[in-house]
Structure formats: structure tokens, C-alpha cells
Amino acid sequence: MRHAGGPAVCAIRPGPLRGRPRPWRGRHAPARLGLAGAGFLRREIERGEHRVIGLGHGRTLAAAVRQMPRFDARAVRFVAVLGGLTRNYAANPHDVMHTLAEKTGAQAFVMPVPFFANSEGDRAVLLSQPGVRDIFDLSNSATLTFVGMGTADAGAQLVASGMIERREIAEINAAGGVGEMMGYFFDATGRVLDTTLSARTLSVDLNRGQGQRIVVIAGGAEKVAAIRAVLNSGRLSGLITDEATARDLMAG
């Protein structure tokens, strides 16, 4: 799956033997893929190369954190890379940070702002609040950013969680949006779209410096086009996915 500008690391969760059920599809996908994500995150922590690790949203990422064992990671600080206040508590990413802190003894910092502000002016006001700018600066310093990603259609988790409205995702989809990562929307070629949400997004800078890596964990037939779009952007250092999704990506 490697190609020019593509990820340097690609971890694939094996599927079952031929003829067996395929539990990584549908509602079981986040849990099975989460196991691979848990292993990856623990290995990265134990390597001792990261002082700050940034984390995003997503059911699969949450499953990875839930499946991590308890171990000492107090030398690392975890920080959210995007705002996370949402009307739907079931999708609230603060649980991820709390679970990480509980399992590792590390400091974990949430970003106490919404994912998208109501206006560009509101975004500026939120960023001026005491402590918020400090969290943004800490997030931008992360040498590893581990995130999920989503689609850019009516079935997107951003819509289900109430973070954005159906009309907003419809506008993005009509503009060619295929995938979303860290609040940025990509077309099929990997180009980042300038959308009505762009100026209101409360997320870290997508452009990473030297030594700063972005690794995505995502899988499922419904996300193949979205994953391919983000791969085409050349911004990923790694991808963790399942065998079926990997085969679909290679076939495209």
C-alpha cells in the first residue's frame, strides 16, 4: 500500500479464515480494529520518543483506548487535537482522555471548546480564553497525532453527534468532499477543501513539522473512499486498518 508521499507505516488487522463470518464489518468493526490501535499506541508510548501525543475523535479510536491495558506512561502528556463539546454525550471524546489518564497515570488535556464555532468571530473569542490557547499550543507540539477519520456524507459521525448539521455536510459533499480528518475535508484527489466550516474549525494545524507524525485508524467499506482521499493528500505517516479495507484500497 505504500506509494510516493504515502504512509511509512501500515498496520493491517487480519480478517478471519475464508468461509468464516466477517465480524469486523458493521457494529463489530471499531472493537476489532481498536485492538490493533491499542497495540500500536502502547508500543509508541513505550518507545519513549514522544513527550506529547495528540488524540482525535472517533468510535474506533475510543475502542483502541478502552482496550489498552493499565501501564505507567507518566512521562507522556496526552492532549486533544480538536474541540470536543457536543450535544450527544455518547460521542463525547472527553471519555477517551479520562480513560487514558486513568489507565496510564499520565496527564490528559481536553480542549474545552466546540469542534466548530458558530462564527469566525466566536472562534477568535474562544481561542482568547485563559487556558484554551495553551492547550492549542500543546496540541500543535505533539510529535505523534493519532486520530480517526470520517466520511463527508449524511451518515458521517459528525452529523450523528450533532457537531455539524445535515445542510452543512450536504454543501461539503456537493463541493466534492469525500473524507474528513481533524475537521478538515478532502476531495478524492487529497486536496483540502475551503468550506463554510473552515474558518470556524477549532482544530490544530494540519501542516505538521519535521518529526511530527499523523497516524489514522479507520476501516470499513463505507470509509474506503474517504481513507483513499486522505492517503492521496500525502499527509499521513501511518494507517491502521482491517484486511478487507486494505484489499479494497489496493483494488481501487
Side-chain angles (χ1 to χ4, degrees):
M1 290 179 64
R2 290 194 60 182
H3 57 83
V9 176
C10 185
I12 299 174
R13 173 71 178 175
L17 297 175
R18 187 180 299 276
R20 298 280 184 84
R22 298 180 177 267
W24 68 84
R25 295 291 194 181
R27 63 187 178 88
H28 297 285
R32 285 187 58 85
L33 197 50
L35 187 60
F40 166 79
L41 186 54
R42 180 174 182 177
R43 288 191 298 273
E44 288 293 317
I45 292 168
E46 292 180 337
R47 285 172 58 194
E49 296 181 359
H50 307 291
R51 290 292 174 262
V52 179
I53 295 178
L55 293 168
H57 296 170
R59 292 170 294 180
T60 307
L61 184 61
V65 171
R66 284 196 301 269
Q67 294 185 68
M68 287 180 65
R70 293 181 181 274
F71 66 102
D72 188 351
R74 282 174 287 185
V76 179
R77 288 184 292 174
F78 298 104
V79 60
V81 298
L82 34 81
L85 299 183
T86 169
R87 293 186 291 270
N88 184 349
Y89 184 78
N92 198 316
H94 294 185
D95 272 355
V96 171
M97 306 307 285
H98 174 78
T99 302
L100 267 174
E102 185 179 49
K103 288 191 172 187
T104 65
Q107 291 181 298
F109 300 89
V110 300
M111 200 171 285
V113 293
F115 198 169
F116 300 101
N118 290 327
S119 68
E120 189 173 355
D122 285 351
R123 181 182 186 275
V125 170
L126 289 167
L127 288 177
S128 71
Q129 299 304 304
V132 175
R133 172 50 65 182
D134 293 338
I135 297 297
F136 258 79
D137 291 343
L138 183 64
S139 296
N140 277 313
S141 74
T143 50
L144 173 64
T145 298
F146 190 36
V147 297
M149 60 165 296
T151 59
D153 55 33
Q157 186 63 21
L158 288 176
V159 177
S161 65
M163 291 184 177
I164 63 176
E165 298 179 7
R166 286 184 177 273
R167 62 171 179 79
E168 292 173 317
I169 201 70
E171 291 172 3
I172 291 167
N173 190 250
V178 175
E180 172 272 325
M181 180 181 73
M182 294 164 54
Y184 298 91
F185 294 89
F186 300 79
D187 68 11
T189 68
R191 181 174 62 94
V192 179
L193 298 177
D194 184 15
T195 71
T196 56
L197 293 175
S198 299
R200 301 193 279 118
T201 304
L202 288 152
S203 175
V204 299
D205 192 347
L206 186 61
N207 297 314
R208 303 278 79 190
Q210 186 174 6
Q212 293 183 300
R213 301 159 55 205
I214 299 176
V215 176
V216 158
I217 179 169
E222 72 283 0
K223 288 190 178 180
V224 170
I227 295 171
R228 184 179 290 116
V230 176
L231 284 172
N232 286 340
S233 75
R235 297 176 185 272
L236 296 189
S237 297
L239 170 66
I240 299 174
T241 192
D242 59 74
E243 182 179 355
T245 301
R247 290 183 182 279
D248 288 344
L249 288 168
M250 289 188 293

